[in-house]
């Protein structure tokens, strides 16, 4: 049985939601909390599959609750309730780790629909990427909140000042203004603290948050491109193609298609009968498998994973550091033992020569 | 020649698969095949052990004694 926690300070709404959703009690159980403190207590008591929370609440509001959930229960999908949503904002929030938003006044049917959608995500055991600082800033703007966010990562600390939802100033070490925002957004494993006041009143940042986030994305693109260029330069492409040839020589007609791709952007560097859509799909699958195994207590992924497909075909994917190598093989034309014990080891040796330039 | 280095490669591969092996190849800038013909000099072995320990997340010195 799935558990859903709905957090809102309006008692009347909570009781009508709990009552209205009773018809789905075979699918999920609804728990309610009137503020963030109560919600955290309930989240600690049992496993929840979905959190639906209002943002404006007394005692501990939705913002503080989201920060704590991000830290303590990072895999719970979250839907936020707001009075100021638009389709555009929802799209941006979803892209940044929040599952969606619900607009007030709430319709029980729509709430039920969203809960089913949210539970479908959680039932796929999808490991949700914890919502980002960008999505949190969007929520602050959306709710026109006055607050100060203190972001810490390792030994670094940064402060973002919001006045009625507008980001007016930021500090990060010696940086301030927009540059400091970009710096903070780059930090991994950051911990956010929120204070419900803003000690600044002078505007040092003139661009709206969504523009800053957009600019940050644009700045990251060339970085990604240059990372890829560096990876390509590091590889000896001709030799890399040779490692594909080694695989072909050993598998003959049994090799239907193959690609070697960069994990970071999921695009192929070299291949044979290249299939970009397969590269994207198996890159995602490898990412999911690696993460799922890491967090499960099971042993890690070993040398490869295989997917048996109908029509006498199978796919083998090899994780190779910053790269992955996928191959579609016709089992009617080549034996699995030959693939795993002869062709792949030879191809790996050739791949090693390519990355060491030997 | 290259016996200890090859053992280090085998150890990393048995724990971390091809992924770990390729990370070690990148760190040492030498393939597993070539490692077989590299002299087991203390400096090289020490560096390889260090890199392998980083990849495996544990000190391999005791295992490799």
């Amino acid at each position: 049985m799935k558990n859903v926690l709905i957090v809102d300070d309006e008692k009347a709404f909570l009781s009508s939601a709990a009552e209205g959703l009773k018809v789905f009690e075979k699918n999920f159980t609804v728990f309610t909390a009137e503020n963030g403190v109560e919600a955290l207590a309930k989240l600690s008591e049992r496993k929840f599959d979905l959190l639906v929370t209002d943002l404006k609440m007394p005692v501990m509001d939705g913002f503080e609750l989201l920060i704590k959930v991000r830290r303590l229960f990072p895999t719970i999908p979250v839907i936020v309730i707001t009075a100021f949503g638009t389709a555009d904002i929802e799209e941006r929030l979803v892209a940044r780790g929040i599952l969606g938003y619900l607009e007030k006044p709430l319709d029980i049917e729509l709430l039920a629909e969203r809960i089913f959608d949210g539970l479908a995500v959680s039932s796929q055991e999808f490991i949700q990427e914890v919502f980002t600082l960008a999505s949190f800033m969007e929520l602050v703007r959306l709710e026109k909140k006055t607050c100060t966010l203190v972001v810490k990562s390792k030994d670094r600390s940064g402060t973002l000042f919001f006045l009625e939802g507008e980001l007016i100033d930021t500090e990060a070490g010696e940086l301030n203004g927009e540059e400091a925002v970009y710096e903070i957004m780059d930090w991994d494993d950051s911990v956010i603290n929120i204070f419900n006041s803003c000690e600044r009143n002078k505007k040092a940042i003139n661009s709206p948050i969504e523009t800053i986030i957009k600019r940050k994305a644009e700045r990251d693109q060339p970085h990604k491109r240059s990372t890829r260029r560096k990876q390509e330069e590091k590889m000896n492409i001709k030799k890399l193609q040779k490692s594909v040839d080694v695989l072909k020589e050993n598998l003959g007609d049994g090799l239907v298609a193959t690609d070697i791709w960069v994990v970071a952007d999921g695009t192929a560097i070299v291949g044979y009968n290249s299939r970009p859509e397969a590269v994207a799909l198996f890159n995602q699958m490898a990412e999911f498998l690696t993460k799922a195994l890491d967090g499960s207590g099971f042993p890690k992924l070993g040398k490869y994973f295989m997917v048996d497909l109908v029509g006498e075909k199978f796919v083998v994917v090899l994780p190779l550091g910053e790269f992955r190598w996928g191959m579609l093989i016709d089992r009617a034309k080549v034996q699995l033992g030959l693939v795993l014990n002869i062709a792949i080891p030879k191809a790996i040796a050739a791949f090693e020569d390519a990355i060491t330039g030997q | 020649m290259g016996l200890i280095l090859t053992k280090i490669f085998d150890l990393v591969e048995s724990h971390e698969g091809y992924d770990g092996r390729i990370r070690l190849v990148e760190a040492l800038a030498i393939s597993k095949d070539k490692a077989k013909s590299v002299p087991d000099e203390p400096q090289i072995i020490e560096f390889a052990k260090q890199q392998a320990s980083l990849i495996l997340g544990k000190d391999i010195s005791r295992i490799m004694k």
Side-chain angles (χ1 to χ4, degrees), chain A residues 234 300 302-303 319-322 344 348 351-353 355-356 358, chain B residues 13 16-19 21-23 25-26 29-34:
Chain A
K234 195 169 78 178
K300 285 180 180 180
K303 289 182 179 174
L320 303 169
E322 297 161 75
I344 289 179
I348 289 288
F351 176 85
E352 287 181 354
D353 286 345
I355 60 172
T356 53
Q358 288 163 359
Chain B
E13 191 174 329
E16 295 284 324
Y18 287 132
D19 193 57
R21 174 170 152 185
I22 295 300
R23 286 178 198 279
V25 166
E26 287 186 315
I30 186 166
S31 68
K32 190 180 171 184
D33 262 7
K34 294 280 187 297

Side-chain angles (χ1 to χ4, degrees), chain B residues 29-45:
Chain B
I30 186 166
S31 68
K32 190 180 171 184
D33 262 7
K34 294 280 187 297
K36 288 174 193 163
S37 53
V38 170
D40 281 333
E41 284 175 14
Q43 267 181 324
I44 299 174
I45 298 303

Side-chain angles (χ1 to χ4, degrees), chain A residues 145-244:
Chain A
K145 189 173 174 66
T146 294
C147 63
T148 302
L149 299 183
V150 177
V151 184
K152 291 190 175 169
S153 169
K154 293 164 194 152
D155 54 347
R156 300 166 295 194
S157 175
T159 313
L160 301 110
F161 301 92
F162 290 86
L163 196 60
E164 294 177 347
E166 291 301 318
L167 179 63
I168 60 164
D169 202 359
T170 307
E171 286 173 0
E174 288 176 0
L175 297 173
N176 51 39
E178 270 188 46
E179 283 305 318
V181 190
Y182 300 141
E183 167 71 15
I184 295 170
M185 287 173 77
D186 266 340
W187 295 348
D188 295 325
D189 302 323
S190 58
V191 174
I192 309 170
N193 280 300
I194 186 165
F195 300 93
N196 290 322
S197 62
C198 176
E199 287 178 7
R200 298 281 166 92
N201 49 26
K202 201 177 160 195
K203 215 170 171 189
I205 294 176
N206 293 313
S207 309
I209 290 164
E210 62 268 33
T211 308
I212 294 174
I213 293 170
K214 208 173 155 191
R215 279 186 200 142
K216 174 74 174 76
E218 283 164 5
R219 284 164 69 120
D220 285 348
Q221 279 309 110
H223 169 70
K224 274 185 190 159
R225 276 200 294 271
S226 77
T227 305
R228 185 181 166 81
R229 236 189 346 263
K230 276 181 204 157
Q231 278 164 329
E232 285 182 0
E233 278 165 13
K234 195 169 78 178
M235 310 288 294
N236 182 330
I237 300 291
K238 269 190 188 169
K239 285 213 164 187
L240 200 59
Q241 188 59 51
K242 208 175 159 187
S243 62
V244 170

Side-chain angles (χ1 to χ4, degrees), chain A residues 230-299:
Chain A
K230 276 181 204 157
Q231 278 164 329
E232 285 182 0
E233 278 165 13
K234 195 169 78 178
M235 310 288 294
N236 182 330
I237 300 291
K238 269 190 188 169
K239 285 213 164 187
L240 200 59
Q241 188 59 51
K242 208 175 159 187
S243 62
V244 170
D245 295 341
V246 169
L247 191 71
K248 271 165 64 183
E249 281 161 21
N250 281 276
L251 297 180
D253 289 347
L255 182 67
V256 181
T258 188
D259 277 295
I260 297 176
W261 67 85
V262 179
V263 175
D265 61 8
T267 52
I269 300 180
V270 293
Y272 161 69
N273 284 343
S274 278
R275 299 187 178 194
E277 71 288 354
V279 168
L281 174 68
F282 285 99
N283 195 38
Q284 273 182 18
M285 283 173 71
E287 189 74 12
F288 171 78
L289 261 180
T290 309
K291 276 188 185 170
L293 284 172
D294 274 355
S296 70
F298 275 80

